[in-house]
Amino acid sequence: MTSFLSDLRLALRTLRGKPGFVSTAVLTLMLGIGAVAAIFTVYDAVLLKPLPFTDPARLVRVMRTQAPVKNSPVSPPVFREWAERSGAAFEAIGAFVPQTVNLTGAGNAERLTGYTVTPGFWNVFGQPVALGRSFGDAEENANERVVVLGDALWRVRFGADPAVVGRDIQLNGESWRVIGVAAAAFRYPSDAQLWTPTFLPANNASRGSNSLAPIARLAPGVTLEQAREVMRGITDWEAETFPDGSAPLVAQVERLDELVGRGLRGSLSVLLGAALLVLLIACANLASLMLTRGQVREQELAVRSALGASHAQLMRNVLAEAFLLAGAGALAALLFAYGAVRALLRLAPDLLPAYNAPAIDLRVVSATTLVALATLILFGLAPAWRAGRADPALALRSGARGQVGNQTQARARGVLVAAEIALAMTLLSGAGLLIDSLRQLSKVDSGLRDPERVLTAKFSLAIPAMQPGEDFKAWYTRVKAVLEPRLDALQARLRTLPGVTSIAITNALPASGQGGWNGGFEIAGQEVPKDAIAEFRFGSPAYFSTFGIPLKAGRMFDESDGARALFPTEVLVSQTFVDRYLGGGDALGRQVTVFDDSPKTIVGVVGDVRQFGLDQGPDAEVWMPVRTVPVGNLALALKTDGDALALAPTLRRAVQESFPDVPLYAIRTMDEVTGETSRLRRFNMTLMSAFAACALALAAIGLYGVIAWIAAQRRREIGVRQSFGATRAHIHAMMLKSGLRMVVPGILAGFAGALAIGQLIGSQLFGVGSADPRVLAGVVAMLGLVALAACLIPSWRALRVAPMDALRND
């Protein structure tokens, strides 16, 4: 240990005299290892770490697939049958339904994300309640209004007061008794703030009213395939017992940990692969750097060997240097990764699942340090090994002549730089394709006009809860009696705001990726395909003019639509609905049956909107007046004659003053709303571009380092050539030729990598081929410019030395 500490002190003194070498090595480690550490931290949190539940591998989601719908909820009757007949497969089964509630009382009104759950839900998760208790069959069967609070809500809103258990709170204007607080680590679904009973025994919904999302825990010893077989038998029985003419129902049983983050698995895998390419470039760069460093030290190591230093001592000296560089590089890489992870979370705050927050933990620190040390040892010990085996007399004679290195080593450096160029071209091509995809996507017509002058916000109106066993029509009558006057009053208040030219209220903002309901429908006098499906949306009279959606035929809604009867009697349909289901003919006056069992008259046809993304085609849509909407979670939009965002404080103040019990949230411009549908694409493009920039920087450093080394080794030759009349252009051309010997093979090899990454990210591309010639040409041009600079700067520096000085110093 004492000897190794002496070696460390010697290595520290040696490295102090080589600041350029040290800074380059540390920078290389920081970019290469830091990039991998950052993306692996996210990948690990989203896809590798177990979910924070008891025995998460046994948790499964059971979803309905029934053409044309996939992975959807089920109706109460179907869930009851699944729960009664699936005992051979599941130890426990429950279900949940999302809901939005307004918490009023002490303090400002607050919108909360809640879930109604069956008693079995708590058994699936092993009763994760830290304070009080959960509700069971007794409360479910007796229709008791009880609630379990989430830990975060309990701490923030109720000050972590244990006495809240047993207290009544106001949810949507009604009293609910708090009976428990969930464990701090428990959140399911991830945005849940509270849970209430479903009152399923009294729910008389039809088999087609699908709202329950089942979740279950596999019975001990039961495999996933066995559970699927049990569910297959149940759905076969249902198809025979309840034939209804619809497509057969299939139960999809999937592990919960595989479903969480499934939408990100492909993107994160590609990005992790890109980060590993950056690491490979860093390794190649470091190998070239250490090879050059080793050649420079060959004479020193040979002298020490001649003076009696053993081979083991020489290896230990080099190991000490590697240890110091690895420590500095690992620290720099961890700092880089820490900042990168924070930037990633800011870039996509709601994109990543919230169960395991990405963070630099002990595993990442250990892995980063080991990778840095292994990389340096791998490339640092080779020169010492070679020097220890070399003939000291020959090394000294070679050093005296200034002939450090040989053709084999020079070729090795050239191969390494060519590999860096090829890998950098691969990543640059991937980034270029993603950038061009976003550019092509921005040219697509969303169906909206002038969205930059539209301010949007979401709000929540408290509506009466459906009483257990209550008929839908009776409940809907109570809901409409509450919503209609409040919506009228809200629109009247918003019209008084300065600069507002029109107001829209809807259940889902257009082109936002959000839907309302969808389902089948009937057209009077016409056969409709069994798999026919339409989106059901609600809008106010000025909805279409606010967003600039054109009227194709007929008329828009007016103030009387939706007020003449309990249920809607007039509807609008989209152009795609007309083209797909009415043969493109005259739709006005046709009768469609949607939402309830009463026919509705088509009074207008409106333009299509790409609701779920610019890369998605328009859907068939049926529009109903917003005064007939049966939910209180709505959105508003204000079209202004100036800066839309400047109206936000006025809007917030007006709603708070006039409607203090109405939470207003998610205030954004319409441009921000529509941008949500391409957020994953922007996330992928940003990270791929960052990795490509790191790769380009490392490749440039590597090429510059080799050309600078060649210039230093050929300094005497350059002096001689100048003495015999060689011009500066001739010297530059000579150095450029040396660089081209590495750059051209790298670019040629890079074409294969570019084609490969284009195929790999093909599903993420839009409007651009996987081998787009414009992108490839741009990447080659960029690499050419960087290579030109990397070659000419060392050449220019070599020419600054006078020929006589170069000859004298040699």
Side-chain angles (χ1 to χ4, degrees):
M1 179 59 69
T2 302
S3 179
F4 187 65
L5 290 177
S6 299
D7 290 331
L8 285 177
R9 287 193 292 269
L10 176 61
L12 184 59
R13 287 197 299 269
T14 303
L15 292 176
R16 281 177 180 172
K18 301 292 181 181
F21 165 75
V22 172
S23 59
T24 304
V26 171
L27 177 63
T28 300
L29 288 170
M30 181 189 75
L31 293 178
I33 301 177
V36 174
I39 196 63
F40 177 75
T41 298
V42 177
Y43 187 93
D44 183 42
V46 174
L47 299 174
L48 300 182
K49 285 184 177 178
L51 296 176
F53 307 127
T54 302
D55 199 2
R58 291 170 56 200
L59 297 177
V60 295
R61 283 288 312 276
V62 190
M63 298 165 289
R64 172 181 67 99
T65 293
Q66 192 172 24
V69 179
K70 294 182 178 180
N71 300 332
S72 295
V74 299
S75 65
V78 169
F79 174 75
R80 280 192 286 260
E81 292 156 7
W82 287 6
E84 292 167 359
R85 294 173 173 267
S86 62
F90 305 131
E91 180 180 299
I93 184 171
F96 59 91
V97 181
Q99 64 172 340
T100 299
V101 297
N102 290 350
L103 174 62
T104 55
N108 296 327
E110 184 176 359
R111 168 194 171 268
L112 300 177
T113 300
Y115 288 84
T116 63
V117 300
T118 65
F121 174 90
W122 301 108
N123 297 328
V124 168
F125 290 101
Q127 294 292 331
V129 179
L131 190 65
R133 61 180 179 85
S134 65
F135 45 81
D137 291 332
E139 291 83 3
E140 177 89 345
N141 296 334
N143 304 329
E144 294 186 22
R145 296 189 179 278
V146 293
V147 57
V148 174
L149 303 179
D151 179 80
L153 177 64
W154 174 59
R155 294 181 184 279
V156 174
R157 183 71 185 229
F158 299 99
D161 182 7
V164 73
V165 175
R167 186 187 305 168
D168 288 343
I169 61 174
Q170 294 294 308
L171 299 178
N172 286 346
E174 299 175 333
S175 292
W176 291 73
R177 177 68 51 85
V178 177
I179 64 170
V181 177
F186 178 73
R187 284 177 298 152
Y188 190 82
S190 61
D191 59 347
Q193 295 175 281
L194 56 82
W195 299 266
T196 59
T198 57
F199 305 130
L200 193 61
N203 192 321
N204 56 6
S206 67
R207 300 186 68 82
S209 180
N210 301 298
S211 59
L212 292 164
I215 188 166
R217 177 176 292 276
L218 293 174
V222 174
T223 65
L224 195 63
E225 189 53 46
Q226 289 171 334
R228 288 170 177 165
E229 186 62 32
V230 170
M231 293 307 301
R232 194 175 298 120
I234 296 174
T235 54
D236 288 346
W237 170 82
E238 288 174 327
E240 295 176 3
T241 309
F242 306 100
D244 57 0
S246 59
L249 184 150
V250 176
Q252 294 291 122
V253 184
E254 302 287 346
R255 281 181 50 163
L256 182 62
D257 54 6
E258 293 181 356
L259 287 176
V260 173
R262 173 178 287 182
L264 292 171
R265 183 178 297 275
S267 296
L268 290 179
S269 297
V270 170
L271 292 172
L272 182 59
L276 290 174
L277 290 183
V278 174
L279 179 59
L280 284 178
I281 297 174
C283 287
N285 205 343
L286 196 61
S288 179
L289 187 68
M290 298 299 286
L291 187 62
T292 303
R293 168 73 171 159
Q295 289 178 214
V296 172
R297 294 193 66 191
E298 274 189 9
Q299 184 181 5
E300 172 204 337
L301 295 175
V303 169
R304 296 180 63 187
S305 179
L307 293 176
S310 67
H311 187 243
Q313 287 176 317
L314 295 180
M315 299 289 283
R316 198 174 63 230
N317 295 151
V318 175
L319 182 62
E321 279 194 16
F323 186 82
L324 291 176
L325 288 173
L331 179 59
L334 288 172
L335 292 175
F336 178 85
Y338 175 76
V341 169
R342 295 191 64 181
L344 286 176
L345 296 179
R346 287 195 298 269
L347 180 65
D350 301 320
L351 196 60
L352 304 177
Y355 293 110
N356 294 310
I360 304 294
D361 55 18
L362 183 60
R363 292 193 304 166
V364 175
V365 172
S366 301
T368 300
T369 304
L370 288 175
V371 170
L373 189 58
T375 302
L376 280 163
I377 290 175
L378 180 63
F379 298 116
L381 289 183
W385 182 275
R386 187 176 58 252
R389 299 300 183 190
D391 182 358
L394 181 61
L396 290 172
R397 285 198 301 272
S398 299
R401 291 194 304 267
Q403 297 171 351
V404 180
N406 53 45
Q407 286 298 109
T408 302
Q409 295 164 353
R411 282 195 295 270
R413 281 191 297 270
V415 170
L416 288 171
V417 172
E420 292 182 49
I421 296 293
L423 293 173
M425 182 172 174
T426 300
L427 289 177
L428 284 169
S429 298
L433 290 173
L434 293 177
I435 291 171
D436 201 38
S437 290
L438 278 179
R439 187 177 64 85
Q440 296 293 337
L441 201 63
S442 66
K443 298 179 181 179
V444 176
D445 183 11
S446 66
L448 308 180
R449 301 291 181 272
D450 201 20
E452 64 271 10
R453 294 196 297 116
V454 176
L455 181 69
T456 71
K458 295 181 180 180
F459 64 98
S460 184
L461 295 176
I463 61 174
M466 179 178 285
Q467 300 298 321
E470 185 177 17
D471 176 74
F472 174 78
K473 183 176 181 180
W475 171 77
Y476 181 75
T477 301
R478 294 195 297 122
V479 170
K480 192 174 181 184
V482 171
L483 282 183
E484 272 193 289
R486 300 217 73 186
L487 290 176
D488 290 342
L490 178 62
Q491 292 185 83
R493 178 66 181 92
L494 295 179
R495 290 191 187 100
T496 65
L497 299 182
V500 173
T501 59
S502 66
I503 301 166
I505 294 182
T506 179
N507 65 317
L509 292 168
S512 64
Q514 299 173 343
W517 294 274
N518 59 46
F521 54 90
E522 297 177 3
I523 301 177
Q526 181 177 323
E527 185 79 16
V528 177
K530 288 184 178 180
D531 61 350
I533 192 169
E535 288 283 323
F536 306 147
R537 292 177 177 264
F538 296 81
S540 59
Y543 174 91
F544 299 97
S545 60
T546 299
F547 294 109
I549 302 173
L551 178 67
K552 299 290 188 178
R555 66 174 179 85
M556 299 293 193
F557 289 135
D558 58 34
E559 296 296 340
S560 63
D561 289 324
R564 286 185 284 270
L566 178 63
F567 292 109
T569 55
E570 301 85 15
V571 297
L572 306 177
V573 295
S574 66
Q575 186 64 51
T576 293
F577 184 95
V578 175
D579 296 339
R580 189 175 296 172
Y581 300 120
L582 297 176
D586 185 14
L588 300 181
R590 299 291 298 270
Q591 300 283 311
V592 295
T593 301
V594 293
F595 184 57
D596 62 283
D597 293 332
S598 61
K600 297 157 181 53
T601 303
I602 298 176
V603 297
V605 179
V606 295
D608 289 322
V609 176
R610 295 176 182 261
Q611 305 284 11
F612 297 99
L614 296 176
D615 56 343
Q616 304 292 322
D619 294 304
E621 297 175 341
V622 177
W623 287 88
M624 289 162 273
V626 75
R627 61 172 60 246
T628 63
V629 68
V631 297
N633 198 30
L634 302 169
L636 61 86
L638 307 177
K639 191 166 188 176
T640 69
D641 56 10
D643 180 11
L645 202 55
L647 188 64
T650 303
L651 170 63
R652 189 183 297 276
R653 185 167 53 253
V655 172
Q656 189 171 8
E657 291 174 354
S658 301
F659 307 92
D661 62 332
V662 176
L664 192 71
Y665 59 101
I667 301 178
R668 299 176 293 176
T669 64
M670 195 61 205
D671 279 340
E672 293 177 288
V673 172
T674 56
E676 288 293 305
T677 59
S678 59
R679 185 173 53 168
L680 181 57
R681 289 181 179 274
R682 291 198 306 274
F683 178 80
N684 294 336
M685 181 272 293
T686 301
L687 290 190
M688 185 68 78
S689 299
F691 292 145
C694 290
L696 185 61
L698 288 171
I701 291 172
L703 180 60
Y704 173 85
V706 171
I707 296 298
W709 181 85
I710 292 174
Q713 296 306 111
R714 301 181 69 175
R715 185 174 55 181
R716 184 175 184 275
E717 176 190 347
I718 292 173
V720 171
R721 287 178 179 272
Q722 286 182 294
S723 299
F724 281 95
T727 63
R728 288 178 173 269
H730 176 79
I731 302 300
H732 285 315
M734 182 181 70
M735 302 306 297
L736 188 60
K737 184 178 179 181
S738 298
L740 288 176
R741 289 195 184 102
M742 297 175 278
V743 172
V744 172
I747 289 178
L748 293 178
F751 276 108
L755 295 176
I757 200 170
Q759 293 292 329
L760 188 62
I761 64 174
S763 62
Q764 302 176 30
L765 302 180
F766 179 86
V768 59
S770 59
D772 189 274
R774 295 176 299 108
V775 172
L776 291 176
V779 169
V780 171
M782 180 181 295
L783 282 172
L785 290 174
V786 171
L788 182 64
C791 292
L792 292 183
I793 292 176
S795 177
W796 175 75
R797 293 181 62 186
L799 286 171
R800 294 180 63 186
V801 180
M804 292 303 297
D805 291 337
L807 294 171
R808 185 182 306 114
N809 291 337
D810 186 71

